[in-house]
Amino acid sequence: MSSEQKTDLSTLPSDEVVSATMYSGLERGSWYVGAGLAAGALASIVLSRGGTSRKVITAFGGGVGLGSAWTRCSMDLEEILEK
């Protein structure tokens, strides 16, 4: 989380910090999944010829994006709960 977002979270009341973190996690998730799908689609064009294998590689890219967004949101929530 950037220092700008940390200062924004520190100005919020404590009951709104978790919801703000979840909202930023959902926003980040949509970006990461989109980027993963785009990277997977480009990789599938380069690496495969068949339609099924292209779908699998593209889905794998989306899954990687979703997993990285989930991990980052989890780390942000753990950071908040430690305080």
Side-chain angles (χ1 to χ4, degrees), residues 3 5 8 11 16 25 27 30 34-35 37-38 41 47 55 57 64 74 79 82:
S3 61
Q5 289 178 338
D8 288 340
T11 59
E16 294 181 8
E27 184 179 352
S30 63
L37 286 172
L47 296 175
K55 291 176 188 174
I57 293 171
V64 168
S74 175
E79 181 181 316
E82 286 177 355

Side-chain angles (χ1 to χ4, degrees), residues 10-80:
S10 65
T11 59
L12 290 174
S14 62
D15 58 338
E16 294 181 8
V17 172
V18 173
S19 62
T21 304
M22 291 299 294
Y23 178 76
S24 68
L26 287 173
E27 184 179 352
R28 183 184 303 122
S30 63
W31 282 105
Y32 283 14
V33 170
L37 286 172
L42 291 175
S44 70
I45 290 171
V46 172
L47 296 175
S48 67
R49 289 184 158 178
T52 303
S53 58
R54 284 187 179 175
K55 291 176 188 174
V56 169
I57 293 171
T58 304
F60 178 76
V64 168
L66 181 64
S68 63
W70 180 275
T71 301
R72 185 63 205 165
C73 186
S74 175
M75 290 169 47
D76 290 345
L77 286 173
E78 286 178 9
E79 181 181 316
I80 288 171

